[in-house]
Amino acid sequence: MTLFTFGETMGLVAADGIGPLTYAKGFSFGIGGAESNVAVGVARLGGEATWLGRVGPDATGALIAERLTAAGVRTLAITDESFTGLMVRHKRSAQFAQVDYHRAGSAGSRLSPADVPPAELTSAGVVHVTGITPALGETARAAVFQSIETANAAGVPVSVDVNYRSKLWNRFDAAPVLRDLVSRADVVFASPEEAALFVDADDLLGALAKLGPSEVIVKDGARGCRAQIDGERHELPVLPVTVVDPVGAGDAFVAGYLADRLTGATPAARLATAIAAGAFAVTVPGDCEGAPTRAELAALTGDDVHR
């Protein structure tokens, strides 16, 4: 029961401290990508996860393969002649973070249908994709839809995180593609704003479910989550934690849900794990560095000091 996912993972340059990038005193360098973040999250929770993607023949591409492998993810990194993409992130204020992408023409954006082996799709417990990859280019979009078609034909559940990125495409171009993506999925994750791009905002859960998925989860930040799973409605609040870095919380949430789904846990248990994983992730800086283990989740509501 393995998670299989694919997409672009990039190098991440993050400014230290808070304030305009102009005055940053130092920077850290890591990796980040929605799909690989989910793979790391599932692996940390004891599941099996495979990530596939293209990386450049450079130090950043090598770092991505090394970091993901070290995190317990089975990594299928295809070396491309183009460069590995980069993102630069800084916190303009305590409340607002800004991310700039340098990925046009990158190795990751050159993903194609031929890169994704059908055997990986048909043998997976869940195939997970996001709405980011279709925005990267025609071949990447074709890879997503062909992979979903293969998984659907084999009866393998497909998970989609809408993950709309306004810096990659505008809402008018994105909406019909994202709607099509969701209509082919079994499990869908979206924020209220993302879902409202292509369904009626009056009843997001019902409207998303009408498109076809049997499991619809709306991630609503500080308001927790709402879900409709096999016709039954659920609602969970967030756990109270001190927020250090909100980036990566959504991916940790998805990882928590899918990790439990792969083990056959009940819908209520999946959502509880998702909420706890997302809460833990925001207490640590970085995209996937804060992905928790099962033991850490169990300790989340316990004492602050563990001796």
Side-chain angles (χ1 to χ4, degrees), residues 1-3 36-50 71-73 251-252 254-260 262 291-292 294:
M1 298 298 289
T2 300
L3 173 90
S36 57
N37 290 347
V38 171
V40 169
V42 168
R44 289 264 178 86
L45 290 170
E48 294 183 4
T50 297
V73 175
D251 297 331
V254 171
Y257 184 91
L258 294 179
D260 267 18
L262 286 167
R294 292 281 180 185

Side-chain angles (χ1 to χ4, degrees), residues 6 16 40 47 104 118 125-126 153 158 171 176 184 192 196 220 223 275 279 285 307:
F6 60 93
D16 298 335
V40 169
V126 171
V158 172
R171 59 184 299 155
R184 299 165 188 255
D220 205 0
R223 288 171 290 279
I275 285 285
R307 304 181 190 277

